[in-house]
Amino acid sequence: MNKDFEYVAVDFNPFGENEIEKITITNEPQKELWLSCIIGGNEASLAYNESVSLELSGVFNPDAFQKAIVNLIDRHEALRSTISKNGENLIIYRAVSYTH
């Protein structure tokens, strides 16, 4: 048995319910965002968002809209990713659970 590290049993799934596609090391800007959110809470994470308001007209098709959002998330890793608790890794999930 290798003595370089020690296994610690946990009574929960640390990765949640979603299957992990890959894990990569976070870069410096990602670490800065993670740290600002840890220090500043929810308000800090809002500082890095941009918003755009659109006024659309016509008939809204909620099923088509939901399908478009699901397809968008499936296509872009950034929308299926989270940063690990210690800020060192970016965890990219194969798929995410959709709730209504």
Side-chain angles (χ1 to χ4, degrees):
M1 184 169 174
N2 189 340
K3 296 290 184 181
D4 293 340
F5 53 89
E6 181 178 326
Y7 291 102
V8 177
V10 294
D11 59 355
F12 66 96
N13 179 353
F15 304 113
E17 298 178 12
N18 298 322
E19 180 183 354
I20 294 173
E21 182 176 321
K22 58 186 159 186
I23 297 175
T24 185
I25 297 171
T26 52
N27 58 33
E28 286 306 311
Q30 290 168 330
K31 287 180 184 178
E32 288 175 16
L33 285 172
W34 171 82
L35 183 59
S36 68
C37 291
I38 295 298
I39 294 170
N42 289 336
E43 291 76 24
S45 69
L46 298 176
Y48 296 96
N49 292 319
E50 293 183 24
S51 68
V52 174
S53 297
L54 300 174
E55 186 174 325
L56 305 174
S57 61
V59 178
F60 179 70
N61 182 334
D63 292 330
F65 180 75
Q66 182 176 6
K67 184 177 179 183
I69 296 297
V70 168
N71 287 336
L72 182 70
I73 293 169
D74 288 343
R75 250 192 334 266
H76 296 282
E77 289 181 344
L79 300 175
R80 295 180 279 116
S81 302
T82 59
I83 295 179
S84 63
K85 294 279 185 189
N86 65 3
E88 296 294 320
N89 297 304
L90 184 68
I91 303 167
I92 302 166
Y93 297 100
R94 188 165 312 284
V96 293
S97 302
Y98 307 106
T99 58
H100 307 314

Coordinates of all heavy atoms in Angstrom, one line a residue:
M1 N 0.8 -1.2 0.0 CA 0.0 0.0 0.0 C 0.9 1.2 0.0 O 1.9 1.3 0.7 CB -0.9 0.0 1.2 CG -1.9 1.1 1.3 SD -3.1 0.8 2.6 CE -4.0 2.3 2.5
N2 N 0.5 2.2 -0.8 CA 1.3 3.5 -0.9 C 1.0 4.3 0.3 O -0.1 4.6 0.7 CB 0.8 4.2 -2.2 CG 1.7 5.4 -2.5 OD1 2.4 5.9 -1.6 ND2 1.7 5.8 -3.7
K3 N 2.1 4.8 1.0 CA 1.9 5.6 2.2 C 2.1 7.1 1.9 O 2.1 7.9 2.9 CB 3.0 5.2 3.2 CG 2.8 3.8 3.7 CD 1.6 3.7 4.6 CE 1.5 2.3 5.2 NZ 0.4 2.1 6.0
D4 N 2.1 7.5 0.7 CA 2.2 8.9 0.3 C 0.9 9.7 0.6 O 1.0 10.9 0.7 CB 2.6 9.1 -1.1 CG 4.0 8.6 -1.4 OD1 4.8 8.4 -0.5 OD2 4.3 8.3 -2.6
F5 N -0.2 9.0 0.7 CA -1.4 9.7 1.0 C -2.3 8.8 1.8 O -2.1 7.6 2.0 CB -2.1 10.1 -0.3 CG -2.3 8.9 -1.3 CD1 -3.4 8.1 -1.2 CD2 -1.4 8.6 -2.2 CE1 -3.6 7.1 -2.1 CE2 -1.5 7.6 -3.1 CZ -2.7 6.8 -3.0
E6 N -3.4 9.4 2.3 CA -4.3 8.6 3.2 C -5.7 8.8 2.7 O -6.1 9.9 2.4 CB -4.2 9.2 4.6 CG -5.0 8.5 5.6 CD -4.9 9.1 7.0 OE1 -3.7 9.6 7.3 OE2 -5.9 9.2 7.7
Y7 N -6.4 7.7 2.6 CA -7.8 7.8 2.2 C -8.7 8.1 3.4 O -8.5 7.7 4.5 CB -8.3 6.4 1.7 CG -7.6 6.1 0.3 CD1 -6.6 5.2 0.3 CD2 -8.1 6.6 -0.8 CE1 -6.0 4.8 -0.9 CE2 -7.5 6.3 -2.1 CZ -6.5 5.4 -2.1 OH -5.9 5.1 -3.3
V8 N -9.7 8.9 3.1 CA -10.6 9.3 4.2 C -12.0 9.0 3.7 O -12.5 9.4 2.6 CB -10.6 10.9 4.5 CG1 -11.6 11.2 5.5 CG2 -9.2 11.2 4.9
A9 N -12.7 8.2 4.5 CA -14.1 7.7 4.1 C -15.0 8.9 4.3 O -14.9 9.7 5.2 CB -14.5 6.6 5.0
V10 N -16.0 9.0 3.3 CA -17.0 10.1 3.4 C -18.4 9.4 3.3 O -18.5 8.3 2.7 CB -16.9 11.1 2.3 CG1 -15.6 11.9 2.5 CG2 -16.9 10.5 1.0
D11 N -19.4 10.0 3.9 CA -20.7 9.4 3.9 C -21.6 10.1 3.0 O -22.8 10.1 3.1 CB -21.3 9.3 5.3 CG -21.4 10.7 6.0 OD1 -20.9 11.7 5.4 OD2 -21.9 10.8 7.1
F12 N -21.0 10.8 2.0 CA -21.8 11.5 1.0 C -21.1 11.5 -0.4 O -19.9 11.2 -0.4 CB -22.1 12.9 1.4 CG -20.8 13.8 1.4 CD1 -20.4 14.6 0.4 CD2 -20.0 13.7 2.5 CE1 -19.3 15.3 0.4 CE2 -18.8 14.5 2.6 CZ -18.5 15.3 1.5
N13 N -21.8 11.7 -1.4 CA -21.2 11.8 -2.8 C -20.6 13.2 -2.9 O -21.4 14.2 -3.1 CB -22.2 11.5 -3.8 CG -21.6 11.5 -5.2 OD1 -20.5 12.0 -5.4 ND2 -22.4 11.1 -6.2
P14 N -19.3 13.4 -2.9 CA -18.8 14.8 -3.0 C -19.0 15.5 -4.4 O -18.9 16.6 -4.5 CB -17.3 14.6 -2.7 CG -17.0 13.2 -3.1 CD -18.3 12.4 -2.8
F15 N -19.4 14.7 -5.4 CA -19.5 15.2 -6.7 C -21.0 15.4 -7.1 O -21.3 15.8 -8.2 CB -18.9 14.3 -7.7 CG -17.4 14.1 -7.4 CD1 -17.0 12.8 -7.1 CD2 -16.5 15.1 -7.5 CE1 -15.7 12.6 -6.8 CE2 -15.2 14.9 -7.3 CZ -14.8 13.6 -6.9
G16 N -21.9 15.2 -6.1 CA -23.3 15.3 -6.4 C -23.8 14.2 -7.3 O -23.2 13.1 -7.3
E17 N -24.9 14.4 -7.9 CA -25.6 13.3 -8.7 C -25.2 13.3 -10.1 O -25.5 12.3 -10.8 CB -27.1 13.5 -8.6 CG -27.6 13.3 -7.1 CD -29.1 13.5 -7.0 OE1 -29.8 13.5 -8.1 OE2 -29.6 13.7 -5.9
N18 N -24.6 14.3 -10.7 CA -24.2 14.4 -12.1 C -22.9 13.7 -12.4 O -21.9 13.9 -11.6 CB -24.2 15.9 -12.5 CG -25.5 16.5 -12.4 OD1 -26.6 15.9 -12.6 ND2 -25.5 17.8 -12.0
E19 N -22.8 13.1 -13.5 CA -21.6 12.4 -13.9 C -20.6 13.4 -14.4 O -20.9 14.3 -15.2 CB -21.9 11.4 -15.1 CG -20.7 10.7 -15.6 CD -21.1 9.8 -16.8 OE1 -22.3 9.7 -17.1 OE2 -20.1 9.2 -17.3
I20 N -19.4 13.3 -14.0 CA -18.3 14.2 -14.3 C -17.7 13.8 -15.7 O -17.4 12.6 -15.9 CB -17.2 14.2 -13.2 CG1 -17.7 14.8 -11.9 CG2 -16.0 15.0 -13.7 CD1 -16.8 14.7 -10.8
E21 N -17.6 14.8 -16.6 CA -17.0 14.6 -17.9 C -15.5 14.7 -17.8 O -14.7 13.9 -18.3 CB -17.5 15.6 -18.9 CG -17.0 15.4 -20.3 CD -17.6 16.3 -21.3 OE1 -18.9 16.6 -21.2 OE2 -16.9 16.9 -22.1
K22 N -15.0 15.8 -17.1 CA -13.6 16.0 -16.9 C -13.4 17.0 -15.8 O -14.3 17.8 -15.4 CB -12.9 16.4 -18.2 CG -13.4 17.7 -18.8 CD -12.7 17.9 -20.2 CE -13.6 18.8 -21.0 NZ -13.0 19.0 -22.4
I23 N -12.2 17.0 -15.3 CA -11.7 17.9 -14.2 C -10.5 18.6 -14.7 O -9.6 17.9 -15.2 CB -11.5 17.2 -12.9 CG1 -12.8 16.6 -12.4 CG2 -10.9 18.2 -11.9 CD1 -12.7 15.8 -11.2
T24 N -10.4 19.9 -14.6 CA -9.2 20.6 -15.0 C -8.8 21.6 -13.9 O -9.6 21.9 -13.0 CB -9.4 21.3 -16.4 OG1 -8.2 21.9 -16.8 CG2 -10.5 22.4 -16.2
I25 N -7.6 22.1 -13.9 CA -7.1 23.0 -12.9 C -7.6 24.4 -13.3 O -7.7 24.8 -14.5 CB -5.6 23.0 -12.9 CG1 -5.0 21.7 -12.5 CG2 -5.0 24.1 -12.0 CD1 -3.5 21.5 -12.6
T26 N -8.1 25.1 -12.3 CA -8.6 26.5 -12.5 C -7.4 27.4 -12.9 O -6.3 27.2 -12.4 CB -9.3 27.1 -11.3 OG1 -8.5 26.9 -10.1 CG2 -10.6 26.4 -11.1
N27 N -7.7 28.4 -13.7 CA -6.7 29.4 -14.1 C -6.7 30.5 -13.1 O -7.6 30.6 -12.2 CB -6.8 29.9 -15.5 CG -8.1 30.4 -15.8 OD1 -8.8 31.1 -15.0 ND2 -8.6 30.3 -17.0
E28 N -5.8 31.5 -13.1 CA -5.8 32.6 -12.2 C -7.1 33.4 -12.1 O -7.6 33.7 -11.1 CB -4.5 33.4 -12.4 CG -3.3 32.8 -11.9 CD -3.3 32.3 -10.5 OE1 -3.7 33.1 -9.6 OE2 -2.9 31.1 -10.2
P29 N -7.6 33.8 -13.3 CA -8.9 34.6 -13.3 C -10.0 33.8 -12.6 O -10.8 34.4 -11.9 CB -9.2 34.9 -14.7 CG -7.8 34.9 -15.4 CD -7.1 33.8 -14.7
Q30 N -10.1 32.5 -12.9 CA -11.1 31.7 -12.2 C -10.9 31.7 -10.7 O -11.9 31.7 -10.0 CB -11.2 30.3 -12.8 CG -11.7 30.3 -14.2 CD -11.4 28.9 -14.9 OE1 -10.4 28.2 -14.6 NE2 -12.2 28.6 -15.9
K31 N -9.7 31.5 -10.3 CA -9.4 31.5 -8.9 C -9.8 32.9 -8.2 O -10.3 32.9 -7.1 CB -7.9 31.2 -8.6 CG -7.6 29.7 -8.9 CD -6.1 29.5 -8.6 CE -5.8 28.1 -9.0 NZ -4.4 27.7 -8.8
E32 N -9.5 33.9 -8.9 CA -9.9 35.3 -8.4 C -11.4 35.4 -8.2 O -11.8 35.9 -7.2 CB -9.3 36.4 -9.3 CG -7.8 36.5 -9.3 CD -7.3 37.5 -10.3 OE1 -8.2 38.3 -10.9 OE2 -6.1 37.5 -10.6
L33 N -12.1 34.9 -9.2 CA -13.6 35.0 -9.1 C -14.1 34.1 -7.9 O -14.9 34.5 -7.1 CB -14.3 34.5 -10.4 CG -14.2 35.4 -11.5 CD1 -14.7 34.7 -12.8 CD2 -15.1 36.6 -11.2
W34 N -13.5 32.9 -7.8 CA -13.9 32.0 -6.7 C -13.6 32.7 -5.4 O -14.4 32.7 -4.5 CB -13.1 30.7 -6.8 CG -13.2 29.8 -5.7 CD1 -14.3 28.9 -5.4 CD2 -12.3 29.7 -4.6 NE1 -14.1 28.3 -4.2 CE2 -12.9 28.7 -3.7 CE3 -11.1 30.3 -4.3 CZ2 -12.2 28.4 -2.5 CZ3 -10.5 29.9 -3.1 CH2 -11.0 29.0 -2.2
L35 N -12.4 33.3 -5.2 CA -12.0 33.9 -3.9 C -12.9 35.1 -3.6 O -13.3 35.3 -2.5 CB -10.5 34.3 -4.0 CG -10.0 34.9 -2.7 CD1 -10.1 33.9 -1.5 CD2 -8.6 35.3 -2.9
S36 N -13.2 35.9 -4.6 CA -14.1 37.0 -4.4 C -15.5 36.6 -3.9 O -16.1 37.3 -3.1 CB -14.2 38.0 -5.6 OG -14.9 37.3 -6.6
C37 N -16.0 35.5 -4.5 CA -17.3 35.0 -4.0 C -17.2 34.4 -2.6 O -18.2 34.5 -1.9 CB -17.8 33.9 -5.0 SG -18.2 34.6 -6.6
I38 N -16.1 33.8 -2.3 CA -15.9 33.3 -0.9 C -15.9 34.4 0.1 O -16.6 34.4 1.1 CB -14.6 32.4 -0.8 CG1 -14.7 31.2 -1.6 CG2 -14.3 32.1 0.7 CD1 -15.8 30.2 -1.3
I39 N -15.2 35.5 -0.2 CA -15.0 36.6 0.7 C -16.3 37.5 0.7 O -16.8 37.9 1.7 CB -13.8 37.4 0.3 CG1 -12.5 36.6 0.5 CG2 -13.7 38.7 1.1 CD1 -11.2 37.3 0.0
G40 N -16.8 37.8 -0.5 CA -17.9 38.7 -0.6 C -19.3 38.1 -0.7 O -20.2 38.9 -0.7
G41 N -19.4 36.8 -0.8 CA -20.7 36.2 -0.8 C -21.4 36.4 -2.1 O -20.8 36.7 -3.2
N42 N -22.8 36.3 -2.1 CA -23.6 36.4 -3.3 C -23.4 37.8 -4.1 O -23.4 37.8 -5.3 CB -25.0 36.2 -3.0 CG -25.3 34.8 -2.7 OD1 -24.6 33.9 -3.1 ND2 -26.4 34.6 -1.9
E43 N -23.2 38.8 -3.3 CA -23.1 40.1 -3.9 C -21.8 40.2 -4.8 O -21.8 40.8 -5.9 CB -23.0 41.3 -2.9 CG -24.4 41.5 -2.2 CD -24.7 40.4 -1.1 OE1 -23.8 39.8 -0.6 OE2 -25.9 40.3 -0.8
A44 N -20.7 39.5 -4.4 CA -19.5 39.5 -5.2 C -19.7 38.8 -6.5 O -19.2 39.2 -7.5 CB -18.4 38.9 -4.4
S45 N -20.4 37.7 -6.5 CA -20.6 37.0 -7.7 C -21.5 37.8 -8.8 O -21.3 37.6 -10.0 CB -21.3 35.6 -7.5 OG -22.6 35.8 -7.1
L46 N -22.3 38.7 -8.3 CA -23.1 39.5 -9.2 C -22.3 40.5 -9.9 O -22.7 41.0 -11.0 CB -24.2 40.2 -8.4 CG -25.2 39.3 -7.7 CD1 -26.2 40.1 -6.9 CD2 -26.0 38.4 -8.7
A47 N -21.2 40.9 -9.4 CA -20.3 41.9 -10.0 C -19.8 41.5 -11.3 O -19.4 42.3 -12.1 CB -19.2 42.3 -9.0
Y48 N -19.7 40.2 -11.6 CA -19.1 39.7 -12.8 C -20.1 39.3 -13.9 O -19.8 38.8 -14.9 CB -18.2 38.5 -12.5 CG -17.0 39.0 -11.7 CD1 -17.1 38.8 -10.3 CD2 -15.9 39.6 -12.2 CE1 -16.0 39.2 -9.5 CE2 -14.9 40.0 -11.4 CZ -14.9 39.8 -10.1 OH -13.9 40.3 -9.3
N49 N -21.4 39.6 -13.7 CA -22.4 39.3 -14.6 C -22.8 40.6 -15.4 O -22.7 41.7 -14.9 CB -23.7 38.8 -13.9 CG -23.5 37.5 -13.3 OD1 -22.8 36.6 -13.9 ND2 -24.0 37.3 -12.1
E50 N -23.1 40.4 -16.7 CA -23.6 41.4 -17.5 C -25.1 41.1 -17.8 O -25.4 40.0 -17.9 CB -22.8 41.5 -18.8 CG -21.4 41.9 -18.6 CD -20.7 42.1 -19.9 OE1 -21.4 42.3 -21.0 OE2 -19.5 42.0 -19.9
S51 N -25.9 42.1 -17.9 CA -27.3 41.9 -18.2 C -27.7 42.6 -19.5 O -27.2 43.7 -19.8 CB -28.2 42.3 -17.0 OG -28.2 43.7 -16.9
V52 N -28.6 42.0 -20.2 CA -29.2 42.7 -21.3 C -30.7 42.4 -21.2 O -31.2 41.3 -20.9 CB -28.7 42.0 -22.6 CG1 -29.4 42.5 -23.9 CG2 -27.2 42.2 -22.7
S53 N -31.5 43.4 -21.5 CA -32.9 43.3 -21.5 C -33.4 43.3 -23.0 O -33.0 44.2 -23.8 CB -33.6 44.4 -20.8 OG -33.2 44.4 -19.4
L54 N -34.3 42.3 -23.3 CA -34.8 42.3 -24.6 C -36.4 42.3 -24.5 O -36.9 41.7 -23.6 CB -34.5 40.9 -25.3 CG -33.0 40.7 -25.6 CD1 -32.8 39.3 -26.1 CD2 -32.4 41.7 -26.5
E55 N -37.0 43.0 -25.4 CA -38.4 43.0 -25.5 C -38.8 42.3 -26.7 O -38.6 42.8 -27.8 CB -39.0 44.5 -25.5 CG -40.5 44.5 -25.3 CD -41.0 45.9 -25.2 OE1 -40.3 46.7 -24.5 OE2 -42.1 46.2 -25.7
L56 N -39.5 41.2 -26.6 CA -39.9 40.3 -27.7 C -41.4 40.4 -27.9 O -42.1 40.6 -26.9 CB -39.5 38.9 -27.5 CG -38.0 38.7 -27.2 CD1 -37.7 37.2 -26.8 CD2 -37.1 39.1 -28.3
S57 N -41.8 40.3 -29.1 CA -43.2 40.3 -29.4 C -43.6 39.0 -30.1 O -42.8 38.4 -30.7 CB -43.6 41.5 -30.2 OG -43.0 41.5 -31.4
G58 N -44.9 38.7 -30.1 CA -45.3 37.5 -30.7 C -45.7 36.4 -29.7 O -45.8 36.6 -28.5
V59 N -46.0 35.2 -30.3 CA -46.5 34.1 -29.4 C -45.3 33.4 -28.8 O -44.3 33.1 -29.5 CB -47.3 33.1 -30.3 CG1 -47.7 31.9 -29.5 CG2 -48.5 33.8 -30.9
F60 N -45.3 33.2 -27.5 CA -44.2 32.5 -26.8 C -44.5 31.0 -26.8 O -45.6 30.6 -26.4 CB -44.1 33.1 -25.4 CG -43.0 32.4 -24.6 CD1 -41.7 32.6 -24.9 CD2 -43.3 31.6 -23.6 CE1 -40.6 32.0 -24.2 CE2 -42.3 31.0 -22.8 CZ -41.0 31.2 -23.1
N61 N -43.5 30.2 -27.2 CA -43.7 28.8 -27.2 C -42.7 28.3 -26.1 O -41.5 28.1 -26.3 CB -43.3 28.2 -28.5 CG -43.4 26.7 -28.6 OD1 -43.4 26.0 -27.6 ND2 -43.6 26.2 -29.8
P62 N -43.3 28.0 -24.9 CA -42.4 27.6 -23.8 C -41.7 26.3 -24.0 O -40.5 26.1 -23.6 CB -43.4 27.5 -22.6 CG -44.7 27.5 -23.1 CD -44.7 28.1 -24.5
D63 N -42.3 25.3 -24.7 CA -41.6 24.1 -25.0 C -40.3 24.3 -25.9 O -39.3 23.7 -25.7 CB -42.5 23.1 -25.6 CG -43.6 22.6 -24.7 OD1 -43.3 22.6 -23.5 OD2 -44.7 22.3 -25.2
A64 N -40.5 25.1 -26.9 CA -39.4 25.4 -27.8 C -38.3 26.2 -27.1 O -37.1 26.0 -27.2 CB -39.8 26.2 -29.0
F65 N -38.7 27.1 -26.2 CA -37.8 27.9 -25.4 C -37.0 27.0 -24.5 O -35.7 27.1 -24.4 CB -38.5 28.9 -24.6 CG -37.6 29.8 -23.7 CD1 -36.8 30.8 -24.3 CD2 -37.5 29.6 -22.3 CE1 -36.0 31.6 -23.5 CE2 -36.7 30.4 -21.6 CZ -35.9 31.4 -22.2
Q66 N -37.6 26.1 -23.8 CA -37.0 25.1 -22.9 C -36.0 24.2 -23.7 O -34.9 24.0 -23.2 CB -38.0 24.3 -22.1 CG -37.3 23.3 -21.1 CD -38.3 22.5 -20.3 OE1 -39.5 22.6 -20.5 NE2 -37.8 21.8 -19.4
K67 N -36.4 23.8 -24.8 CA -35.5 22.9 -25.6 C -34.3 23.7 -26.1 O -33.2 23.2 -26.1 CB -36.3 22.4 -26.9 CG -35.5 21.5 -27.7 CD -36.3 20.9 -28.9 CE -35.4 20.0 -29.7 NZ -36.1 19.5 -30.9
A68 N -34.5 25.0 -26.4 CA -33.3 25.8 -26.8 C -32.3 26.0 -25.7 O -31.1 25.9 -25.9 CB -33.8 27.1 -27.3
I69 N -32.8 26.2 -24.5 CA -32.0 26.4 -23.3 C -31.2 25.1 -23.0 O -30.0 25.1 -22.7 CB -32.8 26.8 -22.1 CG1 -33.4 28.2 -22.3 CG2 -32.0 26.8 -20.8 CD1 -32.4 29.3 -22.5
V70 N -31.9 24.0 -23.0 CA -31.3 22.7 -22.8 C -30.2 22.4 -23.8 O -29.1 22.0 -23.5 CB -32.3 21.5 -22.8 CG1 -31.7 20.2 -22.9 CG2 -33.2 21.6 -21.6
N71 N -30.5 22.7 -25.1 CA -29.4 22.5 -26.2 C -28.2 23.4 -25.9 O -27.1 23.0 -26.1 CB -30.0 22.8 -27.5 CG -31.0 21.7 -28.0 OD1 -30.9 20.5 -27.5 ND2 -31.9 22.0 -28.9
L72 N -28.5 24.6 -25.5 CA -27.4 25.6 -25.2 C -26.5 25.1 -24.1 O -25.3 25.1 -24.2 CB -28.0 27.0 -24.8 CG -27.0 28.1 -24.6 CD1 -26.3 28.5 -25.8 CD2 -27.7 29.2 -23.9
I73 N -27.1 24.6 -23.0 CA -26.4 24.1 -21.9 C -25.6 22.8 -22.3 O -24.4 22.7 -21.9 CB -27.3 23.8 -20.7 CG1 -27.9 25.1 -20.1 CG2 -26.6 23.0 -19.6 CD1 -29.0 24.9 -19.1
D74 N -26.2 22.0 -23.1 CA -25.5 20.7 -23.5 C -24.3 21.1 -24.4 O -23.3 20.3 -24.4 CB -26.5 19.8 -24.3 CG -27.5 19.2 -23.4 OD1 -27.3 19.1 -22.2 OD2 -28.5 18.7 -23.9
R75 N -24.3 22.2 -25.2 CA -23.3 22.5 -26.1 C -22.1 23.3 -25.4 O -21.0 23.2 -25.9 CB -23.8 23.5 -27.2 CG -23.9 22.9 -28.5 CD -24.2 23.9 -29.6 NE -24.9 25.1 -29.3 CZ -26.2 25.2 -29.4 NH1 -27.0 24.2 -29.8 NH2 -26.8 26.4 -29.1
H76 N -22.3 23.9 -24.3 CA -21.3 24.8 -23.7 C -20.9 24.3 -22.3 O -21.6 24.3 -21.4 CB -21.8 26.2 -23.6 CG -22.0 26.8 -25.0 ND1 -21.0 27.3 -25.8 CD2 -23.2 27.0 -25.7 CE1 -21.5 27.7 -26.9 NE2 -22.8 27.5 -26.9
E77 N -19.6 23.8 -22.2 CA -19.0 23.3 -21.0 C -19.2 24.3 -19.8 O -19.4 23.9 -18.7 CB -17.6 23.0 -21.2 CG -17.3 21.8 -22.0 CD -15.8 21.5 -22.1 OE1 -15.0 22.3 -21.8 OE2 -15.5 20.3 -22.5
A78 N -19.0 25.6 -20.1 CA -19.0 26.6 -19.0 C -20.4 26.6 -18.3 O -20.4 26.9 -17.1 CB -18.8 28.0 -19.6
L79 N -21.4 26.2 -19.0 CA -22.8 26.2 -18.4 C -23.0 24.9 -17.6 O -24.0 24.7 -17.0 CB -23.8 26.4 -19.5 CG -23.7 27.7 -20.2 CD1 -24.8 27.8 -21.3 CD2 -23.9 28.9 -19.2
R80 N -22.1 23.9 -17.7 CA -22.2 22.6 -17.0 C -21.0 22.5 -16.0 O -20.7 21.4 -15.6 CB -22.1 21.5 -18.0 CG -23.3 21.4 -18.9 CD -23.3 20.2 -19.9 NE -22.4 20.6 -21.0 CZ -21.2 19.9 -21.3 NH1 -20.8 19.0 -20.6 NH2 -20.5 20.3 -22.4
S81 N -20.4 23.6 -15.6 CA -19.2 23.5 -14.8 C -19.4 24.2 -13.4 O -20.2 25.1 -13.3 CB -18.1 24.3 -15.5 OG -17.9 23.7 -16.7
T82 N -18.7 23.7 -12.5 CA -18.6 24.3 -11.2 C -17.1 24.3 -10.7 O -16.3 23.5 -11.2 CB -19.4 23.6 -10.1 OG1 -19.0 22.3 -10.0 CG2 -20.9 23.6 -10.4
I83 N -16.8 25.2 -9.8 CA -15.5 25.2 -9.2 C -15.5 24.4 -7.9 O -16.5 24.5 -7.1 CB -15.0 26.7 -9.0 CG1 -14.8 27.4 -10.3 CG2 -13.7 26.7 -8.2 CD1 -14.4 28.8 -10.2
S84 N -14.5 23.6 -7.7 CA -14.4 22.8 -6.5 C -14.4 23.6 -5.3 O -14.1 24.8 -5.3 CB -13.2 21.9 -6.5 OG -12.0 22.7 -6.5
K85 N -14.7 23.0 -4.1 CA -14.8 23.8 -2.9 C -13.6 24.5 -2.5 O -13.6 25.6 -1.9 CB -15.2 22.8 -1.7 CG -16.6 22.2 -1.8 CD -17.6 23.2 -1.3 CE -19.0 22.5 -1.3 NZ -20.0 23.5 -1.1
N86 N -12.4 23.9 -2.9 CA -11.1 24.6 -2.5 C -10.6 25.5 -3.6 O -9.6 26.1 -3.5 CB -10.1 23.5 -2.2 CG -9.7 22.7 -3.5 OD1 -10.2 22.9 -4.6 ND2 -8.8 21.7 -3.2
G87 N -11.4 25.7 -4.7 CA -11.0 26.6 -5.8 C -9.9 26.2 -6.7 O -9.5 26.9 -7.6
E88 N -9.5 25.0 -6.5 CA -8.3 24.5 -7.3 C -8.7 23.8 -8.7 O -7.9 23.8 -9.6 CB -7.5 23.5 -6.5 CG -6.8 24.0 -5.3 CD -5.8 25.1 -5.6 OE1 -5.0 24.9 -6.6 OE2 -5.7 26.1 -5.0
N89 N -10.0 23.3 -8.8 CA -10.4 22.6 -10.0 C -11.7 23.1 -10.5 O -12.6 23.5 -9.8 CB -10.5 21.1 -9.6 CG -9.2 20.5 -9.2 OD1 -8.2 20.5 -9.9 ND2 -9.2 19.9 -8.0
L90 N -11.8 23.0 -11.8 CA -13.0 23.2 -12.5 C -13.6 21.9 -12.9 O -12.9 21.1 -13.6 CB -12.8 24.1 -13.8 CG -14.0 24.5 -14.6 CD1 -14.8 25.5 -13.8 CD2 -13.6 25.0 -15.9
I91 N -14.8 21.6 -12.4 CA -15.5 20.3 -12.6 C -16.5 20.5 -13.7 O -17.4 21.3 -13.6 CB -16.1 19.8 -11.3 CG1 -15.1 19.7 -10.2 CG2 -16.8 18.5 -11.6 CD1 -15.6 19.5 -8.8
I92 N -16.3 19.8 -14.8 CA -17.2 19.9 -16.0 C -18.1 18.6 -16.0 O -17.5 17.5 -16.1 CB -16.5 20.1 -17.3 CG1 -15.6 21.3 -17.2 CG2 -17.4 20.1 -18.4 CD1 -14.5 21.4 -18.2
Y93 N -19.4 18.8 -15.9 CA -20.3 17.6 -15.9 C -20.7 17.2 -17.3 O -20.8 18.1 -18.2 CB -21.5 18.0 -15.0 CG -21.2 18.2 -13.6 CD1 -21.1 19.5 -13.1 CD2 -20.9 17.2 -12.7 CE1 -20.7 19.8 -11.8 CE2 -20.6 17.4 -11.4 CZ -20.5 18.7 -10.9 OH -20.1 18.9 -9.6
R94 N -20.9 16.0 -17.5 CA -21.4 15.5 -18.8 C -22.8 16.0 -19.1 O -23.0 16.4 -20.3 CB -21.4 13.9 -18.8 CG -21.7 13.3 -20.1 CD -21.4 11.8 -20.2 NE -20.1 11.4 -19.7 CZ -18.9 11.6 -20.3 NH1 -18.9 12.3 -21.4 NH2 -17.8 11.2 -19.7
A95 N -23.6 16.1 -18.1 CA -25.0 16.7 -18.3 C -25.4 17.2 -17.0 O -24.8 16.9 -15.9 CB -25.9 15.6 -18.8
V96 N -26.4 18.1 -17.0 CA -26.9 18.6 -15.7 C -28.4 18.3 -15.6 O -29.0 18.0 -16.6 CB -26.7 20.1 -15.6 CG1 -25.2 20.5 -15.5 CG2 -27.3 20.9 -16.8
S97 N -28.9 18.2 -14.4 CA -30.3 17.9 -14.2 C -31.1 19.2 -14.4 O -30.7 20.3 -14.0 CB -30.5 17.5 -12.7 OG -29.7 16.3 -12.5
Y98 N -32.2 19.1 -15.1 CA -33.0 20.2 -15.4 C -34.3 20.1 -14.6 O -34.9 19.1 -14.5 CB -33.4 20.2 -16.9 CG -32.2 20.2 -17.8 CD1 -31.9 19.0 -18.5 CD2 -31.4 21.3 -18.0 CE1 -30.8 19.0 -19.4 CE2 -30.3 21.3 -18.8 CZ -30.0 20.1 -19.5 OH -29.0 20.1 -20.4
T99 N -34.6 21.2 -13.9 CA -35.8 21.3 -13.1 C -36.7 22.4 -13.6 O -36.2 23.4 -14.1 CB -35.5 21.5 -11.6 OG1 -34.8 22.7 -11.5 CG2 -34.7 20.3 -11.0
H100 N -38.0 22.2 -13.5 CA -39.0 23.2 -13.9 C -39.3 24.1 -12.8 O -39.5 23.8 -11.7 CB -40.2 22.5 -14.5 CG -39.9 21.5 -15.5 ND1 -39.0 21.7 -16.6 CD2 -40.4 20.3 -15.7 CE1 -39.0 20.6 -17.3 NE2 -39.8 19.8 -16.8

